[in-house]
Amino acid sequence: MIVPILALTKTIAFLIRAGRIGHGFTWPGEIALRLSGSFIRTMIQKNPGLLTVVIVGTNGKTTSAKITRHILSKNGYRVIGNETGANLMNGVASCLIGNANLYGKIVADVAILEVDENVLPLLLSEFHPNAIMVLNLFRDQLDRYGEVNTIALKWQEALATLTKKTALIMNGNDPQIFYLGKSLPNLSVSFFGLKKKAMKKRAVPHEADSLYCPECAERLTYSAIAYSHIGDFLCAGCGFQPSGIVDYSETVKSPLLGLFNRYNTNAVALMLHIVFGIGLEKIKRDIADFGAAFGRQEIIAYRGRKIVIQLSKNPTGFNQSVEVLEEFDNAQKGVLVLLNDRIPDGRDVSWIWDVDFELLRDLADRIVVSGDRAYDMAIRLRYAGHNRGRSKGKDKLDGVTVIPDLTAAIERAVELTPPGDFLFILPTYSAMLEVRNILTGDEFKQKTT
Amino acid sequence: MTKKGKHSLKIGWLYPDLMSTYGDRGNVMILRKRCEWREIMVEVTGITLGTDSTEIDSVDLLFMGGAQDRQQEIVKKDLIGGKEGFLRRAIEDGTPGLFVCGAYQFLGAYYIAADGTKIEGLGIYDLVTRTPGRLAKRLIGDIIIRPRIEGLEELFVVGFENHGGRTELGKGLAPFADVVHGYGNNGTDRTEGVVYKNTIGTYLHGPILSKNPELADYLIRRALEIKYGGAPVLEPIEASWEREARDTVIGRYIR
Ligand SMILES: [Zn+2]
């Protein structure tokens, strides 16, 4: 059965590439899974030598996957992985198809698979990976994922089916994930986290979810907070608090800005150390020349300006982007905020009210707003105080310009940014893909030459 | 027009730390700013675990948002432990209020969850909510409604709904609005929310007041009227972005 499925789906994959059909990456996998529900299981069984690393969490999957791949490649491993955004079962299946020959043989040593929150249980019912990195769990697209507690419960059920052969690398500073790890005493669980002195916040920001003890429902207190609900927590009711946390972040420095990236780097270092036996000093050296992942802090030179794209797809991600702006120490900062409400973004834009845009007020010199829901974002910014000149019923807004058309908005934002300065683009997922196309695609080349 | 600096309102935000999942805190930000822009003094007081129940007596406008089931349990324990009577009296005596999604359901008689468990509500609103079962689809998407509130009948109110429960109003209760696009209370009778005394219960997120400032001003006006008497007139606030945002959604469904 596997040979005809591979022959068919590989042909389809070829046709998609030949026809340059965008977003067609998941079709071969989708078709394979419809023909054989256990396609992924079969492929994994056919390749007993292939090591599998699964990455799950609300934020940081792509960055962590890319850092892992970077270091493993430098250590002589042949690495494959699913493409950004193709993190459902069909994306995993497509990745296996693309890297297999007609008989299902995959010529690679490691598969790094980033998977969607809801997909983890499905994937684990197909095979048991060598390692799973559980990064964090935040509020994200409630219309699609449901509530955080519900996902944590599903993960717990799925992880409980594993054996000691799977190394679990879990965030010990995320109360819900730490609790999840503690509930699996018969498995090999390791916790990563940061030392208290690296955490700068004292108050829990609004978007945080896990404020109540997962054990006894008492309110958690924090002696320090890294970001969102990630920090050094304590339950006064039952004494629930992080313990046995490994922090490699002082040796292996994060190649990217933001405390959240220190967590990602830390998780990767711990996993590589435990599962692949790579020494910390080696990891430290190998990470030094890492370049940013697609749409995550990559800097694009565009008409003499430095454009930083920072994916901002949920409240925690957005608040993190605001912090990255803080870390960029230059006087003039333009910001372009892009809000879409397509399926990959989540149809509900209510979440922008959980972001503390009030903090952006002192960081951005100019803000241009665009995307399908540009006006929703503009209203949010108005109420966050980005309209200093507003009075007497007039709509004179000093700080904010609304241009729904993306190309026009980019043009305007670039114009407003003096040459040599930074323009920060904060897009939701589908807007990130669009903006990259515009900035790096043919349209861009024509305009600059 | 309201006289500058002459008026003040106290907004009671019920369980801001527990019942605020879907960006609903925006409603409080909006009410606050729209008062401040008109130089109406505002104080927002959080009413949560550990707050004295009598604080409810001191507020002019109530707000409560939705939450995860687990947090709702904690809230319920706290309300039944003391604040319930105060909240009931405030609503019955005519304090204006806005109750969104989980809070709206919670003010009803009871809620039947997907697994069949019955969760008692406060019974202030004569309504019941049932989730038809684990496999029943959630009612999710953009929603457009027309309020049945005097002075707002011509308005298209736009928001986003996301609820598993189907709500049926008791005979004596009036819905907040009629559904133009979307599901509303139950997806069948084309009604949305409830109006009871001076409070509104609704499923609309967005947050609801963000694209519908007329509704925010209605609540502010009502609160001023009850506190100071007369017929307060609010200074108009420019709203072209709100109109554009609303038209973006309306344009997708109504031609
Ligand atoms: Zn506890």
Side-chain angles (χ1 to χ4, degrees), chain A residues 297-300 306-310 328 422-425:
Chain A
Q297 275 181 30
E298 61 182 334
I299 300 180
I300 297 174
K306 286 171 268 185
I307 299 190
V308 183
I309 304 178
Q310 173 75 44
F328 265 80
F422 282 94
L423 170 64
F424 288 81
I425 303 187

Side-chain angles (χ1 to χ4, degrees), chain A residues 79-276:
Chain A
V79 184
I80 61 168
N82 51 336
E83 260 180 42
T84 299
N87 58 12
L88 305 181
M89 292 296 267
N90 55 20
V92 172
S94 294
C95 163
L96 299 176
I97 293 166
N99 290 288
N101 67 17
L102 267 184
Y103 304 98
K105 196 77 208 139
I106 294 172
V107 188
D109 304 306
V110 187
I112 302 169
L113 304 168
E114 46 174 300
V115 300
D116 182 275
E117 286 92 307
N118 281 327
V119 166
L120 183 69
L122 290 173
L123 194 73
L124 296 188
S125 67
E126 292 302 308
F127 74 98
H128 290 176
N130 298 83
I132 304 177
M133 293 160 64
V134 187
L135 299 177
N136 48 51
L137 192 47
F138 302 117
R139 196 186 294 174
D140 182 25
Q141 300 188 27
L142 288 157
D143 54 325
R144 199 167 109 213
Y145 292 109
E147 294 161 344
V148 167
N149 297 341
T150 318
I151 296 169
L153 274 176
K154 284 184 191 160
W155 282 5
Q156 187 168 26
E157 283 172 22
L159 293 174
T161 65
L162 296 172
T163 67
K164 271 192 186 308
K165 280 181 207 145
T166 301
L168 291 167
I169 312 296
M170 306 179 83
N171 189 338
N173 290 150
D174 184 321
Q176 221 141 7
I177 289 174
F178 180 71
Y179 179 69
L180 197 58
K182 284 283 160 192
S183 74
L184 305 164
N186 299 321
L187 303 185
S188 42
V189 179
S190 311
F191 296 107
F192 63 91
L194 293 183
K195 293 199 178 68
K196 233 168 76 177
K197 64 175 188 217
M199 304 174 184
K200 295 197 183 79
K201 288 196 171 63
R202 292 294 172 267
V204 182
H206 173 78
E207 34 82 6
D209 274 305
S210 307
L211 299 171
Y212 290 81
C213 176
E215 177 77 51
C216 72
E218 187 76 20
R219 189 173 186 124
L220 292 176
T221 57
Y222 283 82
S223 68
I225 288 166
Y227 69 102
S228 193
H229 60 245
I230 310 284
D232 188 49
F233 53 84
L234 172 68
C235 171
C238 68
F240 175 71
Q241 62 176 341
S243 59
I245 306 255
V246 179
D247 180 2
Y248 288 159
S249 71
E250 281 160 20
T251 312
V252 182
K253 294 257 186 317
S254 167
L256 297 167
L257 291 171
L259 215 45
F260 57 106
N261 279 322
R262 273 178 77 170
Y263 275 90
N264 295 335
T265 306
N266 207 350
V268 173
L270 181 60
M271 191 280 293
L272 291 173
H273 194 59
I274 290 177
V275 181
F276 293 88

Side-chain angles (χ1 to χ4, degrees), chain B:
Chain B
M1 299 267 169
T2 54
K3 286 256 169 54
K4 285 190 169 150
K6 289 267 164 139
H7 297 93
S8 67
L9 286 179
K10 186 166 176 181
I11 300 171
W13 184 2
L14 290 150
Y15 304 97
D17 48 343
L18 286 155
M19 302 288 281
S20 183
T21 303
Y22 299 81
D24 292 325
R25 72 164 176 168
N27 291 313
V28 177
M29 297 169 158
I30 291 160
L31 289 168
R32 178 200 280 273
K33 287 283 180 194
R34 296 187 79 79
C35 285
E36 285 174 357
W37 287 339
R38 293 159 167 138
E39 297 186 35
I40 298 165
M41 284 182 282
V42 218
E43 183 193 341
V44 176
T45 178
I47 298 164
T48 185
L49 312 185
T51 311
D52 198 280
S53 305
T54 56
E55 184 72 1
I56 296 174
D57 288 341
S58 72
V59 306
D60 306 307
L61 187 53
L62 288 160
F63 173 75
M64 185 166 164
Q68 308 196 23
D69 291 349
R70 153 157 219 171
Q71 294 173 336
Q72 215 148 309
E73 298 266 303
I74 301 172
V75 166
K76 190 178 156 187
K77 237 190 257 169
D78 186 62
L79 273 167
I80 288 167
K83 297 189 180 77
E84 183 186 1
F86 288 82
L87 180 60
R88 183 186 307 274
R89 195 172 59 230
I91 293 174
E92 296 292 346
D93 288 353
T95 305
L98 178 64
F99 297 91
V100 177
C101 202
Y104 165 47
Q105 296 174 340
F106 193 51
L107 258 55
Y110 59 84
Y111 176 85
I112 295 179
D115 60 4
T117 39
K118 184 174 173 182
I119 300 154
E120 295 292 334
L122 296 181
I124 297 173
Y125 294 159
D126 174 24
L127 57 83
V128 298
T129 303
R130 295 182 185 84
T131 308
R134 258 179 185 280
L135 296 177
K137 73 168 181 176
R138 283 181 75 82
L139 308 178
I140 301 177
D142 291 322
I143 175 167
I144 304 166
I145 56 173
R146 302 204 82 166
R148 288 196 193 174
I149 288 178
E150 204 190 326
L152 301 180
E153 300 98 328
E154 296 301 306
L155 202 65
F156 284 99
V157 166
V158 168
F160 194 92
E161 60 182 324
N162 181 356
H163 51 107
R166 274 71 165 167
T167 297
E168 301 283 344
L169 304 185
K171 286 263 179 305
L173 274 189
F176 162 49
D178 296 298
V179 176
V180 179
H181 170 86
Y183 302 100
N185 278 332
N186 43 52
T188 53
D189 70 10
R190 311 302 290 160
T191 67
E192 206 294 312
V194 72
V195 179
Y196 180 71
K197 304 272 175 158
N198 287 318
T199 66
I200 295 167
T202 179
Y203 274 118
L204 269 69
H205 300 292
I208 183 170
L209 300 183
S210 66
K211 284 185 282 294
N212 310 289
E214 298 86 348
L215 195 60
D217 288 352
Y218 167 83
L219 289 166
I220 294 169
R221 238 182 359 253
R222 210 89 182 108
L224 288 172
E225 192 182 327
I226 284 160
K227 187 167 182 183
Y228 297 102
V233 178
L234 299 178
E235 198 183 326
I237 292 172
E238 199 281 339
S240 57
W241 286 355
E242 282 85 350
R243 269 195 304 277
E244 294 278 6
R246 192 148 57 187
D247 288 349
T248 301
V249 178
I250 292 173
R252 291 177 181 179
Y253 307 103
I254 303 169
R255 278 284 161 217

Side-chain angles (χ1 to χ4, degrees), chain A residues 1-2 5-6 8-10 12 26-40 43 90 93-94 97:
Chain A
M1 187 63 187
I2 203 83
I5 293 178
L6 281 164
L8 172 68
T9 53
K10 284 175 96 57
I12 290 165
T26 55
W27 295 359
E30 182 63 36
I31 291 160
L33 286 168
R34 286 195 190 183
L35 292 172
S36 162
S38 58
F39 176 77
I40 293 174
M43 289 294 286
N90 55 20
S94 294
I97 293 166

